Amino acid sequence: MNFRRVVQGFCLVLFLALLAGAGHLAASDLFLRLDPSLVGVTALSARVLKWIFIPALIVLVSAVFLGRAFCGYICPMGTTIDLSDRCLKKRGTKAQNGPEWLSPHLNLYLLIFLAGAGLFGVSLIFWLTPLGLITRLYGLLVYPVIELTADFGLAAIYPIADRLDIRSLMFAEIEPSRFAAQFFVLVIFILIFAAGKITPRFWCRYLCPAGGMLALAAKRPLIRRQVSDACNQCGICARNCPMGAIGIDDPSKTDHSACITCQKCSKLCPQDAIEFSLSAPLNTHAAANSPISPSRRQFLLAGAAGMGTAAISLTGLTAATDKYTEGEVRAARLIRPPGALPEASFLSACVRCGECMTACPTNTLQPIWFDAGFIGMFSPAIIPRRKYCDPRCTVCGEVCPTGAIRALSSGERVWAKTGTAVIYRQKCLAWEHKKSCMVCDEVCPYDAVEFEKKPELPYPVPHVKEDRCAGCGYCEHYCPVQNDAAIVVTPMDELRLKTGSYRETGKIRGYKMNLRPASDPLLPKTYPQGENAATPDADSDGPAPGFEPL
């Protein structure tokens, strides 16, 4: 195995390990922060510059010295595509040139398109960012399948564990994560992998905006491909180049902006005429074959198309602003994660990588479709019916690579109100069916539900104390009424700040956020134990103790 394969394998394993440990390992979003297109477009659309963007800047500067080595050695997306191409490639076939009608500068035009939209504050980078896409593939699609398979495996070996009295296996249980829109992610990657049948690394050559950005810096890197006079123009290097960076008519010419320094050409050359080094060019023919030089008209058209798309998106009915205004239409059940920036700023900064959803310990964070309009697609939202949002958990903010979700201390987190619960009396067991039920009160960690005796009803009925409700969703999750719960969380009175203290702002608004002590005997077992508990007991599905679903 050559050096490049070793580095690629190590980086892919490291990426997968960090993603699996998101929320538990430091710098679990490191690879996302290495993506120069993700960081660059986000900085433009969100109008922010942060220290956490420095790794991407280092990658961009490295292209001046090493060319697109990041694409060839480090990028998990490139490694995954290499694996796919290797699986789909017929034995003995050579690399093929891309279609002539497809511009080799398409990825650069896409980058300019995204930058144009970013100028209007609209981030569309989530459609094309390589590190965001690959995080979604493994985090929202592959890992849940692995968890499900492992759970099936445990069930299959249970009889053996029972016979051998191996109790650690007998009582082991894995709860597979579930995510919406996973088939959409699957279709995207089927198309990406299938494009490898047209030409190897089709995505990297034509669509990747990070590749386009690195190509700008790698027009003539210090370490680059050089061809000696021993070259006999056999063309084997050009026919096998995965990026089409070598001239077919003259193999001594190289498009350095496309070259990923994989050195495959050097290994295949029968004359040993190719090397990658710092030395001066070995012959004068080693000039760029097709340097990055899009025309001014194409440049302007791409940017104008991005700005036009952004302008149309911002005139949509559900286009949001940072401060709720009269006539603004928002989804009635759209609950953002605690610490999420005000809606417009949140959508400008969120890259839909899925890191927060993968790390969410209760699996309540899910990608949405059009609830927030076109520009809000695949952004994260809390689905309380799936699971509650632990009021002491701060994981989503800790793993967010762009700051779209603020990293909060545990004290501030308690005051990060995500919404307010509302009771549908026509569905409530106590109000409508005249039955005794106090589940919402018993599970509420903020003691925000109170019961009142009505003379016309046989049992006390619930009311929500809005100033104490944080919208955590315990009540909705545990409500024994099936399908739509009788008590649901809405974004009413949500607290979303760009800067400043949630505690102080909440007090000014008159909120009274106090968690019930974990020692309260009425709280369910799933309630987080201890002051520093970050994750609740995972064994929490089903109705609250003593209640059966209707």
Side-chain angles (χ1 to χ4, degrees):
M1 183 177 291
N2 61 39
F3 173 73
R4 176 170 170 259
R5 295 302 185 196
V6 171
V7 175
Q8 278 189 302
F10 173 78
C11 290
L12 181 60
V13 170
L14 179 61
F15 166 76
L16 295 175
L18 289 174
L19 182 59
H24 304 284
L25 299 176
S28 59
D29 57 346
L30 172 63
F31 279 85
L32 286 163
R33 295 181 183 181
L34 293 176
D35 185 339
S37 63
L38 181 150
V39 168
V41 174
T42 300
L44 192 62
S45 60
R47 317 286 198 262
V48 294
L49 285 176
K50 297 184 177 182
W51 290 109
I52 57 177
F53 294 166
I54 288 180
L57 181 61
I58 293 174
V59 170
L60 187 60
V61 172
S62 74
V64 177
F65 303 94
L66 304 173
R68 291 176 59 180
F70 176 81
C71 305
Y73 290 76
I74 298 175
C75 179
M77 182 74 161
T79 303
T80 303
I81 289 176
D82 278 346
L83 291 171
S84 168
D85 288 346
R86 193 178 181 88
C87 294
L88 297 176
K89 178 183 175 183
K90 291 183 179 178
R91 189 179 298 275
T93 57
K94 302 291 190 301
Q96 300 174 356
N97 288 321
E100 293 183 358
W101 51 269
L102 208 52
S103 169
H105 306 313
L106 179 59
N107 54 358
L108 183 59
Y109 298 143
L110 290 172
L111 176 66
I112 296 169
F113 172 87
L114 296 171
L119 286 175
F120 274 54
V122 173
S123 176
L124 300 176
I125 187 64
F126 62 93
W127 285 105
L128 294 169
T129 166
L131 273 302
L133 285 173
I134 202 65
T135 301
R136 256 183 275 169
L137 172 68
Y138 287 109
L140 306 188
L141 196 64
V142 176
Y143 281 175
V145 172
I146 293 175
E147 292 169 354
L148 183 67
T149 305
D151 191 41
F152 285 161
L154 285 175
I157 65 174
Y158 178 83
I160 300 174
D162 186 34
R163 177 67 65 89
L164 300 177
D165 196 26
I166 306 176
R167 301 196 174 188
S168 58
L169 291 178
M170 289 170 59
F171 298 105
E173 185 178 355
I174 298 174
E175 184 180 9
S177 302
R178 302 178 188 176
F179 292 103
Q182 77 272 40
F183 275 99
F184 184 81
V185 177
L186 177 63
V187 169
I188 287 178
F189 274 90
I190 286 176
L191 295 175
I192 290 175
F193 294 152
K197 297 289 286 184
I198 301 174
T199 184
R201 281 205 172 216
F202 182 93
W203 164 271
C204 307
R205 291 174 65 168
Y206 296 106
L207 300 177
C208 180
M213 186 174 282
L214 291 174
L216 289 174
K219 293 180 68 174
R220 198 172 179 81
L222 291 182
I223 297 179
R224 57 183 183 269
R225 178 178 182 265
Q226 299 183 59
V227 183
S228 72
D229 293 334
C231 174
N232 62 1
Q233 305 285 310
C234 67
I236 189 172
C237 54
R239 293 193 296 274
N240 286 276
C241 177
M243 294 294 289
I246 302 173
I248 296 293
D249 298 330
D250 184 356
S252 66
K253 293 184 177 179
T254 308
D255 181 358
H256 299 296
S257 62
C259 177
I260 58 174
T261 63
C262 65
Q263 303 190 41
K264 188 174 183 178
C265 53
S266 175
K267 295 180 178 63
L268 292 174
C269 181
Q271 304 296 321
D272 290 331
I274 303 171
E275 66 177 16
F276 287 76
S277 68
L278 275 170
S279 59
L282 299 180
N283 75 18
T284 56
H285 298 294
N289 180 44
S290 179
I292 287 291
S293 56
S295 71
R296 182 178 300 176
R297 175 178 297 181
Q298 292 167 324
F299 183 95
L300 294 175
L301 281 176
M307 289 187 283
T309 303
I312 293 173
S313 301
L314 292 174
T315 56
L317 180 63
T318 55
T321 59
D322 275 352
K323 189 175 182 180
Y324 190 82
T325 57
E326 181 182 352
E328 189 171 317
V329 178
R330 293 192 184 181
R333 298 292 308 281
L334 182 59
I335 314 296
R336 292 301 189 186
L341 299 177
E343 187 66 9
S345 297
F346 173 73
L347 293 179
S348 296
C350 178
V351 294
R352 283 69 146 177
C353 58
E355 185 90 2
C356 58
M357 304 176 211
T358 304
C360 179
T362 64
N363 194 210
T364 186
L365 286 183
Q366 299 286 327
I368 62 171
W369 285 101
F370 294 98
D371 301 63
F374 171 72
I375 59 176
M377 289 180 69
F378 313 120
S379 55
I382 294 174
I383 308 297
R385 201 55 170 163
R386 168 62 182 153
K387 273 297 179 57
Y388 45 80
C389 183
D390 183 350
R392 296 185 192 277
C393 176
T394 58
V395 166
C396 54
E398 293 169 1
V399 302
C400 180
T402 61
I405 306 173
R406 290 177 59 185
L408 303 175
S409 65
S410 57
E412 285 286 291
R413 166 65 187 90
V414 172
W415 285 80
K417 181 180 172 72
T418 56
T420 306
V422 175
I423 296 174
Y424 293 155
R425 295 185 179 184
Q426 71 274 19
K427 300 191 70 176
C428 179
L429 295 180
W431 279 102
E432 181 67 19
H433 299 279
K434 299 179 176 56
K435 293 182 178 180
S436 176
C437 176
M438 302 180 73
V439 172
C440 51
D441 178 41
E442 292 174 351
V443 300
C444 178
Y446 286 88
D447 197 19
V449 180
E450 65 178 4
F451 274 74
E452 178 185 1
K453 187 73 176 71
K454 295 283 187 181
E456 68 275 18
L457 296 172
Y459 298 103
V461 290
H463 293 272
V464 175
K465 291 182 280 189
E466 289 84 359
D467 57 346
R468 292 189 178 184
C469 177
C472 61
Y474 270 81
C475 53
E476 182 176 342
H477 175 70
Y478 281 112
C479 179
V481 177
Q482 285 190 335
N483 298 326
D484 283 341
I487 182 169
V488 299
V489 179
T490 71
M492 182 176 67
D493 291 337
E494 62 181 353
L495 187 55
R496 299 171 66 173
L497 304 174
K498 271 188 175 180
T499 58
S501 167
Y502 282 84
R503 180 192 295 271
E504 299 303 321
T505 306
K507 287 181 178 179
I508 293 172
R509 292 190 182 185
Y511 299 155
K512 301 170 184 175
M513 301 297 170
N514 292 305
L515 284 175
R516 292 162 65 180
S519 58
D520 191 331
L522 292 179
L523 289 172
K525 294 180 180 178
T526 55
Y527 188 73
Q529 303 295 310
E531 286 297 318
N532 297 320
T535 58
D537 185 351
D539 185 16
S540 58
D541 273 338
F547 290 87
E548 297 293 335
L550 293 177

